[in-house]
Amino acid sequence: MIRTEITGTGSYMPEKILTNKDLEKMVDTSDEWITKRTGIKERHIAAKDEASSDLAVKASRQAINDAGIDKNEIDAIICATITPDMLFPATACQIQKKIGIKEVAAFDVESACTGFLTALTIADSMIVSGNYKKVLVIASEVLSRITDWEDRQSCVLFGDGAGAAILSSTDKDRGIMSTYLGSDGRYGNLLHLPAGGSKMPASEDTVEGGLHYIKMEGRESFKIAVKKMAVSARTALKKAGITIDDIKMVIPHQANMRIINALAKMLKIDIERVFINIKDYGNMSAATTAVGLDQTLKSSKVSTGEIIQLVAFGGGLTWGSVIVKI
Ligand code: ACO
């Protein structure tokens, strides 16, 4: 039976750090409010000449080295992002060009903070079908470019970064055990970027109105996030035929420390078994779980043969979970 194992990971966060103290000088906020209400202390911000593909290339090279493969063994590239270099061509094609990978399938997926789990799910299906052997899955975001730096409710939350993984075909008893994805388009307005698409093309008015920035109904998104992340985790556990006690580490999306605490409580899992890096990076949308995966696998928190669970929630609204035996 063909399975999909994760054979290498990487991540990259831009050098520049923006602290809560820095934000105090930009909007009417305080380090105390941000820390208490979100758990975030700082976030990384891309340099002016860094686009999503640039962050992605650095994370991907690490993942390729970590997997110990030649770049030309990769037979598909999937990039999850809501901040592509441009609307088209796909950022995955830009990554392919910059790394110098031969002619292979390359495309982007967009399901906001759930994007990395969506990309893992697609890659898993491609590998299990027998048609692909090694897929480079990336999540890369430069959210600072679509953040309204005058909106104190949202600008304190986001950061830039990228994570990547090499998924490989295996016949061993390890790798992806189950995947689950869900969405409800009726909640699209809770988290969206109104302008720049075919519905509302860029114009002087859209720029004037700040409609190229993230718009978020924080409180409403919060409530649904907790509920849907718990549903996602439970559904993926059921599909894998295991319980939360079998999971060594849960890697949740890092939107708000209070969401992570509430999820741990609902799943009845000790917070020690939940991966947390929100303090240092904030919410990097799709890149968050990709970076979390890399940092978890390279830590002493898990070892070969143990099971980890990724859980995410984001714009769409979308949600999902992936369970992996490492
Ligand atoms: N600094 C100081 N005060 C603030 C700030 C700030 N940065 N932001 C809001 N406030 C104020 C509000 O104005 C309000 O003041 P008022 O009571 O005088 O009206 C008060 O703080 C409380 O505001 P709330 O919006 O109720 O604050 P809340 O506790 O809900 O926290 C937050 C806001 C952090 C945005 C939270 O709702 C949240 O994390 N939501 C979830 C976001 C999320 O999960 N998004 C999905 C993933 S993102 C993606 O997919 C790209």
Side-chain angles (χ1 to χ4, degrees), residues 27-30 33-34 37-38 82 111-114 141 143 146 151-158 190-191 214 216-223 225 253-259 283-286 313-318:
V27 284
D28 180 16
T29 191
S30 66
W33 191 95
I34 304 169
R37 303 306 293 168
T38 72
I82 54 166
S111 52
C113 306
T114 316
E141 302 284 15
L143 294 180
I146 58 166
D151 174 13
R152 69 173 182 174
Q153 196 220 28
S154 65
C155 78
V156 301
L157 303 175
F158 303 117
L190 294 184
L191 195 53
I214 299 171
M216 188 181 75
E217 302 275 342
R219 222 178 289 183
E220 205 47 41
S221 309
F222 189 105
K223 281 188 243 161
H253 179 51
Q254 316 271 314
N256 188 313
M257 193 56 219
R258 290 183 292 136
I259 295 180
N283 176 356
M284 300 180 286
S285 189
F313 166 88
L317 294 177
T318 57

Side-chain angles (χ1 to χ4, degrees), residues 151-194:
D151 174 13
R152 69 173 182 174
Q153 196 220 28
S154 65
C155 78
V156 301
L157 303 175
F158 303 117
D160 301 338
I166 299 289
L167 271 59
S168 306
S169 168
T170 183
D171 53 10
K172 292 185 207 130
D173 173 29
R174 59 199 279 181
I176 293 181
M177 295 173 68
S178 76
T179 60
Y180 165 71
L181 296 173
S183 72
D184 191 336
R186 290 174 301 173
Y187 296 119
N189 61 324
L190 294 184
L191 195 53
H192 71 305
L193 191 150

